[in-house]
Amino acid sequence: MSGSLGQRPWITAPATAAVLDALEGAGGPDCARFVGGCVRNALLGRPIDDIDIATTLTPGQVTQALSAAGLKAVPTGIDHGTVTAVSGSRPYEITTLRRDVATDGRRAVVAFTDDWTLDAQRRDFTLNSLYARRDGTVLDPTGQGVADARAGRIVFVGEAGRRIAEDALRILRFFRFRAWYGAGPPDAAALSACAALKGDLKALSAERVSRELLKLFAAADPREAVGLMAGCGVLGELLPPPLDLARFNGMVAIEEDQLFETDTVLRLAALLPDDQVAAGQLAERLRLSNAARDRVVAALAPTPVFKSWMSPREIRRHLYRLGAQAFRDRAKLAWARAGRTATTPQWRGMIALGEGWTPPAFPLSGRDVIASGVPKGPMVGHVLAEVEAWWIDHDFLDDKLSMIEKLKSVAQGMAF
């Protein structure tokens, strides 16, 4: 035993009690324990997101026990022993104790066991190999998990290289947990193993890589972890060179200083070179959503070049052309590259203007062009584009009569 969590609300909640009662009704007292993140975060005073439970019951027994108790059982990972219980509208991931039989760096063949120590030994890090009984008693089979969690040490269970060989994604998980929970010097054995085995990342599915990478970028301050990734060559295995660590660090800094929300997609864009083709290819390779792909590509356009001293008129012109999202992204990337300087108020004002100004709709249409004497066909679009450019250059003139006069002037100068 390694202390107690006490009776936390998430432990004593009726929905949690219903799941534990169902499992213990089938397997007896202590057949089910909380495991992993909920135990770790409770020890550290961090918010509890997911409640995971480990059990000596087989998946079939778990399903039967939940159904008998009137709870929904979803076979979310049945081959690996995982059943999700739904109780009080909340999901509880329940996994049978396991030991690895064979691994290939991407997936593991497991056998079920009733040995808690064997289950702990197959987990990734000591701070994730913690269990807690429903009375709050914490159990630490590795003997290091509680101390490592409290000290911010991200240490592999057993030999680091062996854990990574079982699943190469653990390389990215090492840096992700370093970003979220790490303190003090990084574990040398872990860092060395990640560097030595970084080539194994190529065998992983794009979805697993992108999901882990974005979770890493979502940490409040991932700068040190990302710097370590770059230093040992891991980041270069995933993203196209040249990587812009300075801009990435600047992006995190301005989000922190200016109380902007953490934006994982923009942090990713900040790391990448200003190459829209390469960015699009990377987004496809990482299987990013269409919306995320489009954002990254738009954010990395080489023009227009944003400067802190742009006039309100120029800001409005860019905002109209780019749209609100791309404008904000481009402004933040330019600010991040510039760093923390005396121009911070100008950048802040630029973004505020972009958020507070609604671009007007261009008041003319093809019908107006035709009415001015231009015949139907491609010329209509050319005339309309020239008048719109004039309208933008005149700071979105709110005078339709003047615009009609300009339209007539342009139309008269065209050869049909």
Side-chain angles (χ1 to χ4, degrees):
M1 291 187 295
S2 299
S4 175
L5 301 179
Q7 289 297 281
R8 306 294 179 101
W10 60 271
I11 295 178
T12 59
T16 307
V19 174
L20 294 177
D21 289 344
L23 298 175
E24 291 179 352
D30 203 32
C31 75
R33 299 173 182 173
F34 302 108
V35 66
C38 58
V39 182
R40 176 198 65 229
N41 282 17
L43 279 172
L44 298 176
R46 302 276 191 106
I48 306 299
D49 297 320
D50 302 320
I51 301 177
D52 294 338
I53 297 171
T55 182
T56 56
L57 297 175
T58 65
Q61 291 171 326
V62 170
T63 299
Q64 187 175 8
L66 294 173
S67 298
L71 299 175
K72 184 177 181 180
V74 183
T76 45
I78 202 73
D79 291 342
H80 287 80
T82 301
V83 176
T84 298
V86 181
S87 178
S89 300
R90 178 166 192 164
Y92 295 79
E93 194 170 275
I94 304 166
T95 303
T96 301
L97 303 187
R98 301 171 292 181
R99 60 182 179 83
D100 288 335
V101 174
T103 58
D104 64 2
R106 292 177 298 168
R107 62 184 70 85
V109 177
V110 300
F112 302 134
T113 180
D114 59 2
D115 189 320
W116 293 94
T117 300
L118 286 178
D119 186 75
Q121 288 173 351
R122 70 170 300 280
R123 294 181 180 271
D124 50 10
F125 308 113
T126 56
L127 82 170
N128 290 336
S129 301
L130 299 171
Y131 304 83
R133 296 191 176 108
R134 69 185 302 174
D135 66 0
T137 300
V138 176
L139 300 109
D140 184 359
T142 70
Q144 299 174 239
V146 171
D148 286 345
R150 287 175 172 159
R153 292 189 293 263
I154 315 303
V155 180
F156 282 97
V157 174
E159 185 185 344
R162 182 175 179 180
R163 293 285 84 79
I164 292 171
E166 292 166 351
D167 185 355
L169 191 70
R170 287 171 173 168
I171 294 175
L172 300 187
R173 285 176 62 82
F174 170 76
F175 293 105
R176 195 243 292 185
F177 279 90
R178 177 73 190 174
W180 281 88
Y181 299 100
D187 182 70
L191 204 56
S192 177
C194 289
L197 297 172
K198 62 183 182 292
D200 293 353
L201 290 167
K202 290 184 173 66
L204 297 174
S205 71
E207 290 82 1
R208 295 184 77 203
V209 170
S210 61
R211 186 163 55 244
E212 200 65 37
L213 201 56
L214 292 177
K215 284 181 180 179
L216 190 163
F217 291 159
D221 188 353
R223 285 174 288 187
E224 187 252 12
V226 170
L228 289 173
M229 289 177 74
C232 70
V234 168
L235 202 58
E237 292 286 328
L238 306 173
L239 304 178
L243 298 178
D244 198 336
L245 281 172
R247 183 165 65 179
F248 176 83
N249 291 341
M251 179 61 63
V252 176
I254 65 171
E255 286 179 342
E256 185 177 65
D257 291 349
Q258 304 299 317
L259 302 180
F260 292 133
E261 289 187 6
T262 297
D263 190 328
T264 56
V265 172
L266 196 54
R267 286 180 174 186
L268 171 62
L271 264 177
L272 302 177
D274 291 328
D275 183 334
Q276 289 183 293
V277 173
Q281 292 170 341
L282 173 72
E284 294 292 339
R285 190 165 73 247
L286 291 179
R287 301 288 192 273
L288 297 183
S289 68
N290 291 342
R293 177 202 62 206
D294 293 346
R295 267 194 77 191
V296 170
V297 170
L300 295 175
T303 58
V305 177
F306 277 57
K307 300 294 184 182
S308 64
W309 57 82
M310 289 194 304
S311 68
R313 180 174 177 173
E314 193 173 5
I315 291 170
R316 286 190 289 270
R317 181 183 301 127
H318 291 337
L319 183 59
Y320 179 81
R321 291 293 192 191
L322 296 172
Q325 182 69 73
F327 176 88
R328 286 194 299 269
D329 289 348
R330 294 290 307 282
K332 288 180 180 179
L333 285 177
W335 184 0
R337 176 166 283 162
R340 293 188 222 181
T341 68
T343 60
T344 288
Q346 287 96 312
W347 290 114
R348 196 67 173 92
M350 180 190 302
I351 293 171
L353 177 58
E355 292 173 343
W357 182 69
T358 301
F362 183 50
L364 300 184
S365 68
R367 185 176 300 172
D368 296 308
V369 178
I370 294 170
S372 71
V374 178
K376 291 182 180 180
M379 194 61 68
V380 171
H382 294 314
V383 171
L384 206 59
E386 184 170 338
V387 177
E388 183 181 23
W390 174 86
W391 175 66
I392 293 170
D393 192 53
H394 284 72
D395 204 17
F396 309 96
L397 184 68
D398 186 17
D399 183 351
K400 191 167 183 178
L401 182 59
S402 296
M403 293 187 66
I404 294 294
E405 291 301 316
K406 177 63 178 178
L407 171 59
K408 291 178 180 178
S409 173
V410 171
Q412 289 171 0
M414 292 283 182
F416 306 133

